[in-house]
Amino acid sequence: MYEFDLLMNGFATLAANPLAIFLSLVGVTLGIIIGALPGLTATMGVAILLPFTFGMDPVSGLLMISGVFFGGVYGGSVTAILLRIPGTPAAAATAMDGFELTKKGMAGVALGTATLSSFLGGTASIVVLIFMAPLLAGFALKFSASESFALAVFGLSIIASISGRSVIKGLIAGFLGLLIATVGMDPMDGFPRFTGGYTELFNVPFIPVMIGLFAAAEAFKSLEDPKVRLGMAAALGRIIPEWATYRRLLGTVARSTGLGVVIGIIPGAGADIAAYVAYNEAKRFSKTPENYGKGELAGVAACEAGANGCTGGALLTMLTLGIPGDAVTAVMLGALTLQGLQPGPLLFKEHAELVFTLFAGMLFCYVAMLVIGLGLLRVMGRVLQMPKSVLTPVILVLCIVGTYAINNSLFDIGIMLAAGVAGYFMQKWDFPASPVVLALIMGPMAEANFRRALSLSGGSYDFLYTRPITVVLLTIAILTLFLPLVKRWRSHRQETRRTDASSRLNQA
């Protein structure tokens, strides 16, 4: 009840600060726009706004940054669903089913589902942040290099589930992503690898590759028939899904939110990993897993609830332990320090009223995200009414501007266009692009933590089977990798039996 009283006091303090409320609304709106633009991530938005918060009081400045954070994570889903252009890495998972729903004329319901799931996932994660901080922070402390390596392997095992019609092609695409991930600086020794002398390749240009594979490839494909509209030029129609429809998704949303919170509190993980893991678990628990990747509302709900559930988890370790859960909270850690606040257990003891005012403001930010997000959807949905001949150049310009804005580098634009051409042929030959992105995210994390764990154990591999959390995660990874193969083998066997039985009946 002590936390509840502090929270109520925080709401009262926030209500008496109209500037903080206004800046929260500005932050959420900017975050949604930034998240929707390819290449402009929530991390970039928070970093850009950071200097403008120096002169503000701590509550106003930190809530404006929090609004950008929350809005940015959600905003990526809008273009992912409408145009198959994931504004953020986490939205790449949403694009798999979201764009398929748009092609079926269900863009409005898909966007409404994404908005509601983002709101529920994010709000629940802030509630967890408020009331369960000590317990979850203690669990996160048990994660060392070996557990982080096992988590990355678990993430890679998801490739088998998101490979679409051919697991073999998905695994090949994943292997290609792992090869690309080896380019750059060695994570332990710091030597350049496979860079060909180009300093631009010292860090894997992950976001340009992602923009190319998903956005530019789609634009190149539309050039095949530029006179035709996108095929879903009708108005969005109903946006908020019917209660009977959304009620069936609540279990998926709750499970995905829980996964997002847990993954968020693990340092080094982030919304992109949370979205893919939530998607995989939703598919694994589904009675109709074959519908995933073909336009399944539960897939959209899982990704958005998982990604937004990650925000509260990431803030949890940052505020209670001073350990940022992802890149955005790393920037927010700097913002707290600049405001004269030292994250850690003492923050809750010495500035309890301020912290709980921030928590109250974060809950307000998510309510604002729900209202502003739903209000902007129809405006954003008008892009559907453009013919391809107009929309394709716009998409390509957005891809180029967004890519250039990351590092002000023409080299990155070349990488993006090359990835776009590769993505175009991958679509033509039915190779999924998502495993490439997943491998690019998980590959460096797996390599760095495996080598770190091996170094800490003195060269022994016993960390693979002596640490309980590592064993559990690796076991789940093995099951996740092979279960889809076993299911397909059983399905093929049953189909063969039915065919044989039918042939025998016909002969009789």
Side-chain angles (χ1 to χ4, degrees), residues 25 27 36 92 108 132 166 191 241 333 340-341 350 406 442 445 456 501 505:
L25 296 173
M132 298 188 68
S166 171
F191 291 110
L333 185 66
L341 302 170
E350 297 174 354
I406 299 168
M442 301 292 182
M445 180 179 173
L456 290 172
L505 282 173

Side-chain angles (χ1 to χ4, degrees), residues 255-505:
R255 185 171 51 249
S256 302
T257 300
L259 284 168
V261 171
V262 173
I263 291 172
I265 65 176
I266 299 169
D272 40 6
I273 296 175
Y276 274 108
V277 171
Y279 181 84
N280 179 68
E281 291 308 300
K283 184 176 179 180
R284 202 160 63 84
F285 277 87
S286 173
K287 294 178 181 176
T288 55
E290 66 277 6
N291 292 340
Y292 280 69
K294 300 174 184 175
E296 175 62 54
L297 268 181
V300 173
C303 296
E304 290 305 304
N308 286 274
C310 187
T311 57
L315 286 168
L316 189 68
T317 48
M318 191 272 281
L319 289 172
T320 57
L321 303 172
I323 301 172
D326 57 13
V328 189
T329 45
V331 180
M332 292 183 71
L333 185 66
L336 272 173
T337 307
L338 288 170
Q339 293 284 358
L341 302 170
Q342 185 60 46
L346 287 179
L347 180 68
F348 288 79
K349 185 177 180 181
E350 297 174 354
H351 303 281
E353 292 187 1
L354 171 65
V355 170
F356 277 83
T357 302
L358 286 176
F359 289 161
M362 289 174 183
L363 290 173
F364 172 76
C365 283
Y366 266 112
V367 174
M369 188 204 76
L370 176 67
V371 176
I372 296 172
L374 289 174
L376 288 177
L377 287 181
R378 291 198 181 278
V379 177
M380 294 184 178
R382 291 181 182 174
V383 297
L384 289 174
Q385 299 174 9
M386 296 181 187
K388 286 184 177 179
S389 57
V390 175
L391 194 58
T392 299
V394 173
I395 292 174
L396 284 174
V397 168
L398 280 175
C399 292
I400 292 170
V401 171
T403 303
Y404 185 76
I406 299 168
N407 294 315
N408 295 333
S409 169
L410 291 174
F411 187 85
D412 283 356
I413 294 177
I415 293 287
M416 182 274 292
L417 291 174
V421 173
Y424 169 76
F425 284 106
M426 286 177 73
Q427 281 195 38
K428 295 279 281 185
W429 296 330
D430 202 23
F431 279 86
S434 297
V436 179
V437 177
L438 193 63
L440 280 172
I441 296 171
M442 301 292 182
M445 180 179 173
E447 181 192 357
N449 283 293
F450 176 77
R451 293 174 63 181
R452 197 170 293 126
L454 200 60
S455 175
L456 290 172
S457 66
S460 170
Y461 293 95
D462 59 1
F463 66 87
L464 293 173
Y465 53 84
T466 56
R467 298 182 68 88
I469 298 175
T470 304
V471 172
V472 169
L473 286 172
L474 289 177
T475 303
I476 296 173
I478 293 170
L479 291 175
T480 304
L481 182 63
F482 287 103
L483 272 181
L485 296 173
V486 173
K487 282 184 178 177
R488 292 191 183 210
W489 174 76
R490 289 182 62 184
S491 175
H492 177 73
R493 192 177 174 188
Q494 288 173 354
E495 184 64 28
T496 304
R497 285 179 176 174
R498 278 197 293 268
T499 305
D500 292 344
S502 177
S503 299
R504 283 195 294 271
L505 282 173

Side-chain angles (χ1 to χ4, degrees), residues 58-82:
V59 172
S60 299
L62 291 171
L63 282 184
M64 187 177 183
I65 289 176
S66 299
V68 173
F69 179 23
F70 302 155
V73 173
Y74 156 70
S77 67
V78 178
T79 43
I81 291 171
L82 292 179

Side-chain angles (χ1 to χ4, degrees), residues 145-183:
S146 64
E147 283 79 14
S148 297
F149 161 70
L151 180 70
V153 173
F154 175 42
L156 287 169
S157 69
I158 294 171
I159 287 175
S161 299
I162 61 171
S163 296
R165 283 176 287 187
S166 171
V167 175
I168 299 298
K169 288 184 177 180
L171 292 175
I172 291 173
F175 182 69
L176 177 66
L178 288 175
L179 285 180
I180 297 172
T182 61
V183 176

Side-chain angles (χ1 to χ4, degrees), residues 2-14 356 360:
Y2 175 66
E3 288 86 358
F4 183 76
D5 292 340
L6 281 172
L7 184 62
M8 290 299 105
N9 187 52
F11 276 118
T13 305
L14 182 66
F356 277 83

